[in-house]
Amino acid sequence: MSYAPPPGTTDGAGGTPHRPGRLPYYEDRSPGSGVLPPRAWYARSDAARLSLHGRWRFRLSAGAGAEDDAFARPDFDDAQWQELRVPGHWVLQGRFAAEGSYGGGGAQPHGAPAYTNTAYPFPVDPPRVPDENPTGDHRQVFDLPEGWGAGPAVLHFAGVESCARVWLNGQELGHFKGSRLPHEFAVGPLLRPRGNVLAVRVHQWSSGSYLEDQDQWWLPGIFREVSLHRRPEGAVADHFVHAGFDHRTGLGTLRVECAPTGRVTVPSLGLDLATGESATVPVRGWTAETPHLYDGELATAGERIPLRIGFRTVRVEDGLLKVNGRRILLRGVNRHEFHPRYGRALDPETMRRDLLLMKRHNINAVRTSHYPPHPAFLDLCDELGLWVVEECDLETHGFGGQGWRDNPVDDPRWEPALLDRARRMVERDKNHPSVVLWSLGNECGTGSGLSAMAAWMRERDPSRPLHYEGDPGCADTDVYSRMYADHAEVERIGRRAEAPLPDPELDARRRRLPFLLCEYAHAMGNGPGGLAEYQRLFERYERCQGGFVWEWIDHGLRQRTSSGEVFHAYGGDFGEELHDGNFVCDGLVLPDRVPSPGLVELKKVVEPVRIEAAGEEGAVRITNLHDFADLRHLDFLWTYEVDGNPRGSGWLEVSPPAPGESVVERLAAPPREPDDGGEAFWTVRAVLRRDTAWAPAGHEVAWGQLRAAPRPAAAPPAATAVPRRGEGNVIVLGPGTFDAGTGTLAYLDGVRIGGPRVDVWRAPTDNDEAAPWQPGPRPATEWRRAGLHRMRHRVDAVEAGRDAVVVRTRVAPAGSPLALRAVYRWTAHEGLLRLELSVDPEGEWPLPLPRLGVRMGVCGSLGRAEWFGGGPGEGYPDTRAAARVGRWSLPVDALQTPYVRPQENGARPGVRWAELTRSDGSGLRIEGDPDFFLTARRWSTEELDAARHTTDLRPGEHLWLHLDHAQHGIGSQSCGPGVLPQYRLEAAPARFSFVFASLG
């Protein structure tokens, strides 16, 4: 690998970076200059490598031409420069460094992060960028290790945003664009044993930025590894592992292409063959469920590298996407690379942690939205077992707002840059068995550039089908892909009855293709709803092969307030002139990688084993929903509970069904005690039999509940107390004291109570707010327009009868004839106080209610909640699949979900009874008929609605209880479809009751 100065550059520092009269290099459409051809990545080798991580010297300039190139000279004095951590982003290492966690100077201004979804944060004038172009000059001095020796070497950059120009020891090497792609330079003749000076100039904006409009933070810098690789004579220049699998014979065929030639050994298969030769032997196929890898070695005259070989074949045939001859069902997530403190500078431990969380939540597929990930991530996918749709570093979404005029993917002048990005992805990652689809990019319209990329990919790697969502005609793809298609459309597609294309030939071709939802179920804030209904469609229609929830993680950047409180920032928090708010926080895990209720729901919905009643008492049907594995790796355990109290447990012997098959097993006779007469459930759990690479033995994979005895019909206690007038304009009924003027319960057994009174408002979720581009009404907008956030209460009558206190009210917003007539009927029996509530709508309600129930304030010292009902986490009408009926106990503060933007959260569904207690056991008990949603929090709905960040919420003296007869569903309308009809809370007559009792 000889070194030659790149065309259009000079031989030393300080020279012009472009030919006179031409655009500067950071604005021209070329992918770069001076870089070596792309090659396959491998993490280990016996050839020496030197990491250049650490503290670099750094200088930030406001514009691309604000400083000269003298900094690249070896003798340049950088003593006054700051220090910067590499890999890293400079905007996260200055004023906005989380907690001053890294970066020399701490509070020095290093620019700021900026978030946009689709809009470019600079004028759209391709390929030009503004003069305000933050530019970071980086310098690192390094010595070669002992024994390095002379000879060829390459300087490797794994990822730099967005354009880098590079010098070594004063010699300019070239420049490159393509932020999430590797670039290498030949540097052997320039190296010195000691005192090598590497200088890198990084521009935040470049022509490449037009190709990277990918719904994420704009974070400039050297954010992936920089390393020096010794390349001895005869070292591996490139290699391509072909490892196909014939599912009919169980034979795998291995062939490794390599330049230069060498030998391949796979000891466990008894293989020793020359590169370019093929061998066919019995093997175990690689799948995401059974990720069997064979360890091998590739040896050339100058280098030895380890191989991890997975035998598998990917094809689209019979209208289906198949691996090893079987249709696969993708239970996937989209994944951006993100860390709340380090941005896209991820370490291997964080990547592994992500993948372990995915596997433990039954996720089997990842779409690398919208760029190739760090290569170590794919190594982990190979090892742990996930299907990967790898996406090219390409999105031009901002051109959509101008009708795709000037779109680079339909401009021949950009074609070299597009092909370069395709090549660098495919060549780097072609040896990963986990990669089953190449994706051309995301949301960049259509054009000749995409067609050129597709043609090159098919020629270079015909073993993988191609994906791209943005072309409805599927001219360049092998699968039909959509975003956020609603359930009805997915069903039509499943029946191959979707709306026809204008071109009959393209239409016929598309109908033959398998279908994927590359994005669905937008996981922004509380949600997403409707997951279970999607999953049933995927299982019902073989053409519908699953999809990828948007997305894995909330991109909240960890910050502290002036008083030291931690919160997570989103768009607009850094003073951006153009931003898209908290749309960047739409993940299944919170920024600190704590699973959200949405991830727990997804785990239940996509579980690969279904456990359900078999139709006859004591019988359970177990269905294997794996694509390849039987169930011998699982044990099945049962428990039997009455009113949440355990009565017995044991092991269930299961004859392991094959993939797609079911078995019915009998449960033992239910263990009972003499006083058992309550609601009873069998719970059957499937757990790992032994340790795996992703979870320990005993990890729960799936569960199901079978009702053994229904909840006994509620028998209201006979009213035994007589209302009486007390001193101070009050009415006393049993343990309750009421305000005689308003009919409001003021005290229960002498303990002050605020309320309860009818409540319909909830702090809108992101899905309630809905995306502005969504068709149809946006729930929160309609609710506010109707005034549901400012309901007024009028008492029409307070009647103290023979055995009850009856309060008649009207609840309505100002400026509207719409109202709810609510009648409270209070009775008492010994120490119990019972409320029967009837609610009837008045007027023609054109919109659903957010919630329907009562709100009340109680003493803030009631710090613990125990309940019998759905749990342990939150659940709403269309997000409660993961709510297991049981007896649960949590601190009140743990009932809240700290969504990055505060919103309605924390409801426990299907609650039969709940107790709120102090440390001494005293407190309040509530029973509901029918079951209710329980929410308890230390701030009011109004305070929750007004908050922008979690730090805006201040616990008050009171605990606010919401006892809801019903809730409106959640849906996915922050970007996807709204609430399904069956989960809308229509205004309709309702009757429900609660019994209150003082404890202790």
Side-chain angles (χ1 to χ4, degrees):
M1 295 182 180
S2 61
Y3 170 79
T9 65
T10 65
D11 291 337
T16 176
H18 61 280
R19 295 187 181 97
R22 297 198 174 190
L23 292 176
Y25 66 96
Y26 52 86
E27 287 188 322
D28 68 31
R29 296 177 179 83
S30 76
S33 63
V35 293
L36 293 167
R39 62 188 178 112
W41 171 255
Y42 43 95
R44 293 181 292 121
S45 163
D46 66 347
R49 293 186 182 182
L50 175 63
S51 170
L52 300 180
H53 296 186
R55 299 279 180 173
W56 291 39
R57 291 290 186 175
F58 176 76
R59 173 183 66 187
L60 182 64
S61 302
E67 304 282 354
D68 63 26
D69 303 337
F71 84 100
R73 293 198 307 261
D75 60 353
F76 180 84
D77 184 4
D78 60 14
Q80 300 305 310
W81 286 19
Q82 301 170 47
E83 285 190 341
L84 191 82
R85 179 180 178 269
V86 173
H89 302 279
W90 70 67
V91 294
L92 298 183
Q93 300 191 52
R95 182 172 10 138
F96 297 114
E99 309 171 66
S101 57
Y102 58 43
Q108 294 297 317
H110 284 177
Y115 166 63
T116 61
N117 172 24
T118 63
Y120 290 105
F122 46 79
V124 181
D125 182 26
R128 307 300 302 279
V129 294
D131 291 341
E132 297 89 352
N133 186 0
T135 295
D137 289 335
H138 303 68
R139 281 172 55 91
Q140 175 72 307
V141 180
F142 64 92
D143 299 331
L144 296 179
E146 291 295 328
W148 181 275
V154 298
L155 179 63
H156 178 91
F157 291 87
V160 183
E161 183 177 329
S162 74
C163 175
R165 185 181 173 199
V166 185
W167 295 260
L168 180 62
N169 293 329
Q171 176 71 56
E172 185 171 353
L173 304 179
H175 78 281
F176 59 86
K177 302 155 195 160
S179 298
R180 268 66 71 177
L181 295 162
H183 297 85
E184 294 181 326
F185 298 96
V187 297
L190 300 178
L191 291 172
R192 308 166 180 170
R194 301 186 63 80
N196 293 280
V197 178
L198 175 60
V200 185
R201 172 163 286 173
V202 179
H203 305 288
Q204 176 157 13
W205 310 124
S206 71
S207 59
S209 302
Y210 284 99
L211 305 179
E212 297 172 3
D213 187 24
Q214 293 150 324
D215 185 12
Q216 60 182 330
W217 293 100
W218 298 90
L219 299 174
I222 305 172
F223 66 93
R224 287 184 186 162
E225 293 84 351
V226 183
S227 51
L228 188 67
H229 299 197
R230 180 87 165 83
R231 308 307 297 144
E233 205 62 44
V236 176
D238 194 17
H239 70 292
F240 197 163
V241 177
H242 303 272
F245 180 73
D246 187 331
H247 65 281
R248 294 160 299 186
T249 64
L251 299 177
T253 300
L254 177 65
R255 178 172 58 88
V256 179
E257 300 173 10
C258 182
T261 59
R263 296 200 69 79
V264 175
T265 55
V266 186
S268 62
L269 295 177
L271 293 180
D272 184 346
L273 62 155
T275 56
E277 294 181 353
S278 296
T280 300
V281 293
V283 297
R284 293 170 58 188
W286 187 98
T287 74
E289 296 169 6
T290 56
H292 192 78
L293 295 172
Y294 290 90
D295 290 319
E297 184 179 76
L298 170 61
T300 63
E303 188 177 18
R304 291 177 177 270
I305 62 173
L307 301 177
R308 303 209 77 193
I309 303 164
F311 291 87
R312 58 106 184 93
T313 297
V314 187
R315 288 198 180 101
V316 172
E317 58 183 11
D318 305 321
L320 300 174
L321 174 64
K322 297 182 179 180
V323 177
N324 298 346
R326 288 180 181 264
R327 169 193 184 262
I328 61 172
L329 181 56
L330 302 175
R331 302 170 170 91
V333 294
N334 287 276
R335 174 189 178 267
H336 269 294
E337 293 188 310
F338 182 76
H339 190 283
R341 295 171 72 176
Y342 309 126
R344 283 187 285 281
L346 262 63
D347 59 276
E349 291 74 22
T350 299
M351 298 178 211
R352 179 176 284 274
R353 181 181 174 190
D354 277 347
L355 283 175
L356 294 182
L357 270 177
M358 290 179 192
K359 292 286 290 187
R360 291 171 184 175
H361 287 84
N362 294 329
I363 290 165
N364 72 355
V366 175
R367 175 179 174 229
T368 69
S369 52
H370 299 291
Y371 43 82
H374 191 291
F377 181 80
L378 298 177
D379 287 339
L380 291 169
C381 291
D382 294 343
E383 173 195 336
L384 298 173
L386 280 99
W387 309 117
V388 175
V389 176
E390 185 170 359
E391 198 145 87
C392 195
D393 193 7
L394 175 62
E395 181 171 337
T396 64
H397 204 166
F399 290 93
Q402 57 191 48
W404 298 105
R405 176 173 50 84
D406 297 328
N407 186 12
V409 304
D410 200 25
D411 184 338
R413 295 173 295 177
W414 289 88
E415 193 170 299
L418 301 180
L419 285 171
D420 181 75
R421 289 171 183 249
R423 289 175 180 132
R424 292 189 180 279
M425 173 182 73
V426 171
E427 299 294 8
R428 191 194 75 171
D429 297 331
K430 57 184 178 278
N431 295 325
H432 288 283
S434 57
V435 177
V436 293
L437 287 167
W438 297 121
S439 181
L440 300 176
N442 183 66
E443 292 175 320
C444 44
T446 59
S448 59
L450 285 176
S451 297
M453 293 168 65
W456 181 87
M457 287 182 183
R458 286 197 170 100
E459 180 179 0
R460 178 60 174 145
D461 181 21
S463 71
R464 291 178 173 94
L466 300 186
H467 168 273
Y468 177 65
E469 181 272 340
D471 178 10
C474 301
D476 295 316
T477 71
D478 301 306
V479 296
Y480 177 27
S481 179
R482 289 275 285 110
M483 290 183 183
Y484 305 109
D486 64 22
H487 300 78
E489 182 181 357
V490 170
E491 181 158 25
R492 290 193 297 272
I493 294 171
R495 293 188 282 108
R496 302 186 190 268
E498 66 267 28
L501 292 169
D503 184 322
E505 186 175 339
L506 276 180
D507 182 69
R509 178 181 179 275
R510 192 181 72 176
R511 287 181 196 278
R512 293 193 297 268
L513 298 180
F515 175 70
L516 303 178
L517 276 169
C518 67
E519 294 179 21
Y520 80 110
H522 198 247
M524 187 176 180
N526 186 336
L531 283 170
E533 288 74 20
Y534 272 120
Q535 195 66 20
R536 296 302 174 263
L537 292 171
F538 301 157
E539 294 169 4
R540 183 180 308 143
Y541 298 104
E542 67 173 6
R543 184 192 190 189
C544 298
Q545 295 191 239
F548 300 86
V549 172
W550 186 268
E551 64 158 308
W552 175 241
I553 188 169
D554 285 343
H555 300 196
L557 290 168
R558 183 180 172 93
Q559 298 287 293
R560 284 189 183 272
T561 65
S562 57
S563 60
E565 295 175 283
V566 172
F567 70 100
H568 289 100
Y570 49 79
D573 285 335
F574 300 103
E576 305 101 302
E577 63 181 8
L578 187 68
H579 67 85
D580 285 290
N582 71 311
F583 200 72
V584 76
C585 295
D586 44 16
L588 290 166
V589 297
L590 303 178
D592 53 7
R593 286 179 160 76
V594 171
S596 77
L599 181 59
V600 178
E601 178 80 355
L602 181 66
K603 176 184 179 178
K604 174 60 180 170
V605 166
V606 303
E607 59 190 8
V609 181
R610 181 157 300 136
I611 302 169
E612 56 194 346
E616 54 182 301
E617 186 176 355
V620 58
R621 176 179 292 106
I622 296 172
T623 304
N624 181 2
L625 299 174
H626 289 88
D627 297 321
F628 297 92
D630 61 25
L631 301 187
R632 284 176 293 183
H633 62 295
L634 298 176
D635 284 325
F636 291 83
L637 294 80
W638 61 264
T639 58
Y640 185 79
E641 293 178 331
V642 178
D643 287 338
N645 299 308
R647 290 291 183 263
S649 62
W651 299 90
L652 178 65
E653 293 295 329
V654 174
S655 302
E661 301 297 325
S662 298
V663 295
V664 174
E665 304 288 355
R666 298 288 306 182
L667 293 161
R672 297 185 182 274
E673 294 186 4
D675 60 346
D676 282 348
E679 187 175 12
F681 284 92
W682 294 98
T683 301
V684 179
R685 304 167 55 236
V687 302
L688 289 178
R689 178 167 294 173
R690 57 184 64 88
D691 292 348
T692 69
W694 50 271
H699 165 78
E700 183 178 277
V701 173
W703 61 273
Q705 282 193 312
L706 293 69
R707 188 184 296 274
R711 182 184 182 187
T720 58
V722 177
R724 58 182 177 82
R725 292 280 179 174
E727 296 181 2
N729 196 31
V730 299
I731 299 174
V732 178
L733 177 65
T737 302
F738 298 82
D739 184 296
T742 65
T744 302
L745 177 65
Y747 294 91
L748 180 68
D749 268 345
V751 178
R752 186 158 185 80
I753 298 287
R757 71 176 184 174
V758 168
D759 185 31
V760 298
W761 182 243
R762 71 185 186 193
T765 67
D766 291 312
N767 288 303
D768 292 336
E769 296 287 3
W773 59 83
Q774 294 284 32
R778 301 166 63 190
T781 300
E782 296 299 306
W783 292 340
R784 289 191 178 99
R785 183 177 292 126
L788 300 191
H789 61 310
R790 48 178 174 79
M791 301 290 276
R792 298 291 179 258
H793 298 251
R794 185 184 77 209
V795 176
D796 289 336
V798 178
E799 304 165 354
R802 182 174 60 82
D803 59 359
V805 173
V806 178
V807 183
R808 305 182 188 278
T809 69
R810 186 177 190 270
V811 185
S816 171
L818 299 177
L820 298 173
R821 291 284 183 177
V823 178
Y824 303 73
R825 186 175 189 276
W826 293 94
T827 58
H829 174 79
E830 297 178 354
L832 305 178
L833 190 64
R834 185 172 187 266
L835 167 64
E836 292 180 60
L837 192 58
S838 62
V839 181
D840 292 282
E842 187 176 287
E844 296 295 325
W845 283 74
L847 73 168
L849 297 173
R851 71 186 331 144
L852 178 61
V854 296
R855 176 170 78 164
M856 57 192 294
V858 299
C859 179
S861 63
L862 300 176
R864 188 156 196 89
E866 184 174 353
W867 72 99
F868 176 44
E874 75 181 30
Y876 289 80
D878 53 349
T879 66
R880 59 185 295 179
R884 194 176 322 195
V885 177
R887 188 166 177 166
W888 310 103
S889 180
L890 283 172
V892 164
D893 293 336
L895 296 176
Q896 291 293 287
T897 302
Y899 294 114
V900 173
R901 185 191 73 80
Q903 57 197 270
E904 167 62 35
N905 74 92
R908 268 52 182 184
V911 174
R912 284 71 163 162
W913 58 259
E915 294 180 352
L916 285 299
T917 58
R918 304 176 182 87
S919 57
D920 64 0
S922 64
L924 173 68
R925 180 181 172 93
I926 306 159
E927 297 182 17
D929 182 27
D931 304 342
F932 61 98
F933 292 86
L934 169 71
T935 309
R937 56 173 69 107
R938 298 191 181 278
W939 36 78
S940 68
T941 298
E942 292 75 19
E943 291 169 317
L944 186 63
D945 193 4
R948 292 186 66 247
H949 295 97
T950 54
T951 48
D952 297 332
L953 295 168
R954 304 293 179 185
E957 295 180 1
H958 301 293
L959 190 65
W960 293 97
L961 297 185
H962 295 263
L963 314 175
D964 290 313
H965 172 64
Q967 282 264 0
H968 186 62
I970 297 296
S972 189
Q973 206 173 347
S974 54
C975 193
V979 173
L980 286 165
Q982 61 266 38
Y983 301 120
R984 285 172 56 91
L985 177 53
E986 305 291 359
R991 305 290 183 269
F992 50 98
S993 68
F994 300 101
V995 174
F996 301 91
S998 177
L999 299 174

